[in-house]
Amino acid sequence: MRIETLVRLNRTRAERKGAVLLTRLSTGEVELVLEEEMKDRPLSAEIGTALRSGKAATVETADGAVFINPYVPPPRIVVIGAVHISQALAPIARIAGYDLTIIDPRTAFATPERFDGVRLLTDWPEEVLAGEPFDSYTAVAVVTHDPKIDDFPLSAALTANCFYVGALGSRKTHGKRLERLKALGHDDDELCRIAAPIGLDIGAASPAEIAVAIMAQIIEAFRRRHRPETSSR
């Protein structure tokens, strides 16, 4: 591998961007392709499969075999709101292999006693995101029901093209939320990416059941990236 390719790959990984290394086995030639560059290029379908699964593969082409080696940042979940749903979601996310962080400036709710072993940040989302911005490998779930806390991270998640954006609330509440987000400059295509009501429609009622529905929807969104039919929203 050329040193410039290695430097670019390391920079890409540090920036939490997905990428693949394509190695032509007959010549040893190596090419780095970023996730954002894969559309409409040769082997785009095979690259998409490798990025979704995180598994390497060898594919046959007219010019010989190509080894596809993906480099996928670990997906993470950021929950806005230290509520009962968050308490149930934290252990479920851990079992599923996702890092989870909870942000809530309301210290009456965001306490270590209620969230033992969970990364808990008690600053306002604006302050946290200034140092830890969202990226395309982040899932964002907002569950406070408070526009003062929810709106900014929702807007930031859409701007950062997070792979999942979900929001708690009734359709009426969500309608008002969409008007506020439009006022912040988001168009209809972006707003359609918000899963609201949050979670897969499995008839969930209790906080624990809603947490299961959210986790399932996050997994679906992550594993179906780059497919034409991406979710059941």
Side-chain angles (χ1 to χ4, degrees), residues 30-88:
V30 176
E31 179 185 7
L32 176 66
V33 179
L34 305 190
E35 188 168 7
E36 61 203 43
E37 301 170 344
M38 58 174 276
K39 188 178 180 182
D40 299 328
R41 60 151 293 141
L43 298 178
S44 61
E46 291 82 0
I47 292 171
T49 298
L51 288 169
R52 280 194 302 275
S53 67
K55 296 179 180 178
T58 300
V59 298
E60 296 293 334
T61 73
D63 298 323
V66 177
F67 181 65
I68 303 176
N69 195 14
Y71 291 84
V72 181
R76 62 184 180 188
I77 300 171
V78 176
V79 181
I80 309 299
V83 300
H84 292 309
I85 295 172
S86 315
Q87 286 181 288

Side-chain angles (χ1 to χ4, degrees), residues 30-213:
V30 176
E31 179 185 7
L32 176 66
V33 179
L34 305 190
E35 188 168 7
E36 61 203 43
E37 301 170 344
M38 58 174 276
K39 188 178 180 182
D40 299 328
R41 60 151 293 141
L43 298 178
S44 61
E46 291 82 0
I47 292 171
T49 298
L51 288 169
R52 280 194 302 275
S53 67
K55 296 179 180 178
T58 300
V59 298
E60 296 293 334
T61 73
D63 298 323
V66 177
F67 181 65
I68 303 176
N69 195 14
Y71 291 84
V72 181
R76 62 184 180 188
I77 300 171
V78 176
V79 181
I80 309 299
V83 300
H84 292 309
I85 295 172
S86 315
Q87 286 181 288
L89 182 58
I92 297 172
R94 188 182 307 120
I95 292 170
Y98 289 70
D99 292 331
L100 182 141
T101 297
I102 295 174
I103 302 173
D104 197 329
R106 304 171 301 178
T107 52
F109 299 99
T111 66
E113 291 76 18
R114 297 182 69 226
F115 293 93
D116 184 33
V118 178
R119 186 167 185 252
L120 191 62
L121 304 177
T122 55
D123 294 318
W124 284 85
E126 293 91 325
E127 297 169 355
V128 174
L129 296 183
E132 301 182 26
F134 295 147
D135 56 51
S136 61
Y137 279 83
T138 302
V140 178
V142 299
V143 292
T144 76
H145 258 316
D146 186 340
K148 297 193 301 298
I149 302 174
D150 285 351
D151 283 2
F152 182 87
L154 270 177
S155 176
L158 294 174
T159 301
N161 195 31
C162 292
F163 76 85
Y164 173 83
V165 187
L168 187 67
S170 66
R171 298 192 185 282
K172 181 179 179 180
T173 297
H174 188 56
K176 294 179 181 177
R177 176 187 292 134
L178 294 180
E179 292 304 316
R180 295 194 302 273
L181 290 172
K182 282 183 179 179
L184 293 175
H186 297 287
D187 60 28
D188 290 339
D189 289 341
E190 291 178 300
L191 297 175
C192 284
R193 296 193 58 239
I194 301 174
I198 195 169
L200 288 183
D201 184 9
I202 58 173
S206 69
E209 290 176 346
I210 295 171
V212 170

